[in-house]
């Protein structure tokens, strides 16, 4: 069990995942997307339906991420063009995306970053958001 002086195992895993990981500000993530990086929203549907989406982002829920972005997988998304294409992962607050980035790096993707602060930071920075559709 973790205490205030001892980090939990997941906190340690997060620190390992972030070791060497490029964490982009919302503005830098937008610039990377504009320069050809693949922005990937890994949030689950309920969050996208509640909060909206980032225009132009590929939506791949976390449980399918490795299959959709591995350029050697027959189930990959057409946007997963190769291990050299820059990828920026977006989750709700910037935690799950760090863990997911580590997983993609283990598959050989060379340029994986995540959005520091996640979708929440993107929206707070005043960057474009496609609002959710009304029910």
């Amino acid at each position: 069990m973790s205490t205030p002086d001892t980090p939990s195992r997941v906190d340690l895993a997060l620190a390992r995942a972030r070791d060497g990981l490029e964490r982009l500000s919302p503005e830098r993530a937008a610039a990377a997307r504009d320069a050809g990086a693949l922005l990937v929203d890994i949030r689950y549907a309920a969050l996208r339906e509640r909060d909206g989406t980032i225009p132009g982002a590929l939506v791949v829920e976390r449980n399918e991420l490795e299959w959709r972005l591995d350029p050697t997988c027959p189930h990959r998304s057409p946007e997963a063009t190769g291990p050299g294409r820059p990828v920026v992962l977006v989750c709700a607050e910037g935690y799950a995306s760090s863990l997911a980035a580590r997983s993609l790096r283990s598959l050989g993707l060379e340029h994986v970053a995540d959005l520091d602060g996640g979708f929440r930071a993107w929206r707070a920075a005043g960057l474009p958001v496609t609002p959710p559709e009304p029910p």
Side-chain angles (χ1 to χ4, degrees):
M1 177 179 283
S2 70
T3 66
D5 297 330
T6 307
S8 67
R9 288 184 182 139
V10 72
D11 288 334
L12 293 172
L14 183 61
R16 282 191 304 273
R18 288 180 172 167
D19 184 34
L21 175 64
E22 187 174 13
R23 307 204 67 225
L24 302 180
S25 68
E27 295 80 10
R28 286 188 58 217
R33 179 198 57 191
D34 294 346
L38 182 60
L39 198 64
V40 182
D41 186 342
I42 64 170
R43 295 174 301 141
Y44 52 91
L47 289 177
R48 295 189 315 272
E49 291 166 3
R50 183 189 75 191
D51 299 332
T53 57
I54 297 172
L58 175 66
V59 173
V60 178
E61 289 193 22
R62 177 63 190 97
N63 64 319
E64 294 183 356
L65 185 66
E66 289 79 3
W67 286 268
R68 299 291 182 234
L69 290 197
D70 176 358
T72 68
C73 180
H75 304 291
R76 74 182 180 281
S77 294
E79 294 87 352
T81 56
R85 182 167 189 191
V87 173
V88 179
L89 299 178
V90 179
C91 67
E93 296 180 354
Y95 296 98
S97 57
S98 295
L99 295 170
R102 179 180 179 100
S103 179
L104 291 180
R105 288 189 296 176
S106 75
L107 294 177
L109 276 76
E110 300 164 3
H111 306 287
V112 181
D114 77 332
L115 175 57
D116 191 6
F119 181 84
R120 187 175 279 179
W122 178 279
R123 185 175 50 206
L127 292 167
V129 171
T130 301
E133 292 186 26

